[in-house]
Amino acid sequence: MSSTAFRPTPNEATTAPSESGAGSARPRVPASVQALLAYVAVRTTGLLFLTLWAHRQHHGVWPILATQWDSDWYLGIADHGYAQELGTAGSNLAFFPLYPVLVKAVAVVTPGTRATTGLCIAVIASLIAARGIFAVGDRLHGPRVGILLTTLWAALPVGLVQWMGYTESLFTACAAWALYAVLTRRWLWAGSLAVLAGLTRPTGIAVAAAVTVTALLSLRRGFSVRALAAAVLAPLGWCAYLAWVGLRVGRWDGYFAEQRLWSNEMDGGLRTLREMRHLLARDSTPHLFLVLVTLVLIASVALFALSVRDRQPLALLVFTGVLLVIVLSSGGVYFPRARYLLPAFPLLLPLALRLSRAARRHRVLVLTAAVAGSAYWGAHMALVWPGAP
C-alpha cells in the first residue's frame, strides 16, 4: 500500500495567520471549513436549480425531497414498524433499520413532522459525511485533495439524493469515518462505525469487509486486542438485522427471501450487461437518465482500476471493490444503481489527486462543469425520470 496512507495529518498551516503584515494579519479559513463551504455551495446550487425547474412545472419540491419513493417506505417504518411476514410482492423488511429508528426517536423531541425530521437527519448526515470525506483525502494527500474530493462528491450526477430523505448520506457518514478510523488505527471506532453502517444499508457489508480485512492483516505486524475486536465487531450490525428478519418471518433465509420478492437477487452481472448492451447498442431512443446510470457504472469500474494503480490503502480498495461487486452483480432493478454507488467516494480520489496537480484554470473548468452537470441531472432525475432516483 502507498506510503502516504498513514502519513501524519498535515499541520494546521492553513489556519495560521498570514505573515505578510503584523498589523493586518488575518487567520485563514481552515481547510476543513473550506471543504464544508464548498459542499454546501454545490448542493445549494443543485437545490436552487431543482426549485426553479419545479416551479416552471408547477411541481412541489418538498414531496420530492422528503416524502416520495424510498422516503415513504422509511417513514412508514417509523410510523408503523416492520411487517410481520414476507407477503407476496416485497415488504418493508428489505429496508435496514437505523435511519427510520433515528427518525422516530428524534421526531419525539423535535417539532414538525417525521418527514421534516427525516430530511433534516439526511442533511446533517451529509455534512458529517462531507467532513469525513475531507478527513480521508487530507490524511492521504493533504488539504487540497481533501477539499477537491469533498467537492467532487457533492457534485456527483445523483448528488441530489444526499439532501433527500434517503439513507445514502447517513451510510456515507458511517463509511467515511470508519475508513478514517482504520487509516488512523482507531480500531474500536472503526468497528463501531461499521456496525452502524451495517444497520443502515445492505451494502454495509462493504464497510464491514474493509474494517475486518484490514484489522486482521494488521495483526501480522503485532497482536492487538483492539484490532481483533474491530475485526469481530464490524459485521455484527449487518448480521444482526439479517438474523432479526429471519426470526421475525420464521426462516433462516428470511432477508434473502425478501430480496427475491423484490426481484433483487445476485446473478453475477448478467442483468447489468444486458441492460448496458440494450441501452448503448439496441435502444434507438434510450432514456437519458438510464444512459447516465450506465455511464456512471462504466466510469466507476475505470476509477476503481485507477485506484488500484494509485495503490490506495487496502481498506479503501476493499470497500469500493465490494460495493462495486454488489451493485454490478445485482439482478435487481437497474435505474437506482448510480445512487447505490454514491457512498463509494474513494473512487473519486484519482480525480481529486490529478485535479490537485492541474493548472488552476483547468480545475475551475472541470469543477464548474461537474457542478452544472450535477444540478441538471439532479433535477432531471427528480422531474423528468418517471421512476424513483
Side-chain angles (χ1 to χ4, degrees):
M1 293 300 102
S2 171
S3 61
T4 63
F6 307 113
R7 70 168 181 82
T9 303
N11 60 33
E12 294 300 319
T14 55
T15 66
S18 170
E19 296 180 0
S20 59
S24 60
R26 292 182 300 174
R28 294 183 61 188
V29 178
S32 59
V33 176
Q34 293 179 45
L36 287 176
L37 290 174
Y39 174 79
V40 172
V42 174
R43 291 294 0 117
T44 301
T45 300
L47 183 59
L48 290 174
F49 188 81
L50 171 66
T51 302
L52 291 174
W53 192 340
H55 178 73
R56 289 175 62 88
Q57 293 190 356
H58 306 287
H59 197 297
V61 173
W62 176 254
I64 294 172
L65 300 179
T67 65
Q68 293 181 355
W69 303 300
D70 284 14
S71 300
D72 187 46
W73 283 98
Y74 288 117
L75 292 174
I77 295 170
D79 287 336
H80 309 294
Y82 279 101
Q84 296 287 340
E85 54 188 19
L86 294 178
T88 57
S91 71
N92 59 15
L93 291 168
F95 297 85
F96 277 52
L98 183 60
Y99 177 70
V101 167
L102 283 176
V103 170
K104 185 173 183 177
V106 175
V108 172
V109 295
T110 55
T113 65
R114 283 180 173 168
T116 302
T117 300
L119 184 57
C120 288
I121 289 174
V123 172
I124 293 170
S126 76
L127 298 175
I128 297 172
R131 180 62 180 84
I133 290 169
F134 167 80
V136 171
D138 181 31
R139 176 76 185 180
L140 296 177
H141 301 292
R144 175 179 290 184
V145 172
I147 294 170
L148 289 169
L149 181 63
T150 308
T151 306
L152 289 171
W153 183 69
L156 286 172
V158 294
L160 176 67
V161 174
Q162 297 165 12
W163 283 9
M164 293 175 66
Y166 278 46
T167 58
E168 273 71 19
S169 289
L170 180 61
F171 178 73
T172 307
C174 295
W177 285 107
L179 293 173
Y180 180 75
V182 169
L183 295 177
T184 55
R185 294 296 191 261
R186 293 176 171 89
W187 292 117
L188 294 183
W189 274 109
S192 301
L193 288 164
V195 169
L196 294 179
L199 289 170
T200 305
R201 292 191 60 78
T203 47
I205 193 62
V207 183
V211 173
T212 296
V213 170
T214 311
L216 290 177
L217 289 178
S218 74
L219 297 177
R220 297 182 304 177
R221 295 190 295 271
F223 181 75
S224 167
V225 173
R226 293 188 175 187
L228 182 60
V232 174
L233 184 64
L236 292 186
W238 188 83
C239 292
Y241 182 66
L242 267 61
W244 181 84
V245 172
L247 290 173
R248 191 169 183 84
V249 302
R251 51 185 294 181
W252 70 270
D253 64 339
Y255 180 78
F256 300 103
E258 176 69 28
Q259 288 295 325
R260 288 193 290 272
L261 292 174
W262 283 84
S263 300
N264 195 21
E265 298 178 87
M266 305 294 283
D267 67 358
L270 295 178
R271 171 72 180 275
T272 303
L273 291 175
R274 283 197 301 268
E275 291 285 352
M276 287 183 173
R277 183 174 56 191
H278 176 72
L279 287 166
L280 299 179
R282 297 183 177 179
D283 190 346
S284 59
T285 57
H287 198 290
L288 284 178
F289 181 68
L290 294 180
V291 174
L292 171 70
V293 171
T294 302
L295 294 177
V296 167
L297 295 180
I298 294 171
S300 297
V301 174
L303 288 171
F304 182 74
L306 277 178
S307 299
V308 173
R309 181 180 177 181
D310 289 350
R311 302 183 66 186
Q312 280 186 15
L314 180 63
L316 275 61
L317 292 176
V318 171
F319 170 62
T320 52
V322 172
L323 196 57
L324 272 172
V325 168
I326 293 172
V327 173
L328 296 176
S329 299
S330 172
V333 290
Y334 186 75
F335 58 82
R337 300 195 191 193
R339 169 168 64 89
Y340 294 163
L341 286 175
L342 191 149
F345 71 91
L347 292 176
L348 299 171
L349 261 174
L351 293 179
L353 188 57
R354 284 155 179 79
L355 278 178
S356 71
R357 299 167 180 167
R360 178 183 176 86
R361 64 180 182 278
H362 294 152
R363 285 201 302 272
V364 171
L365 180 63
V366 170
L367 292 177
T368 300
V371 173
S374 178
Y376 171 79
W377 283 113
H380 181 96
M381 174 181 67
L383 299 172
V384 179
W385 168 245

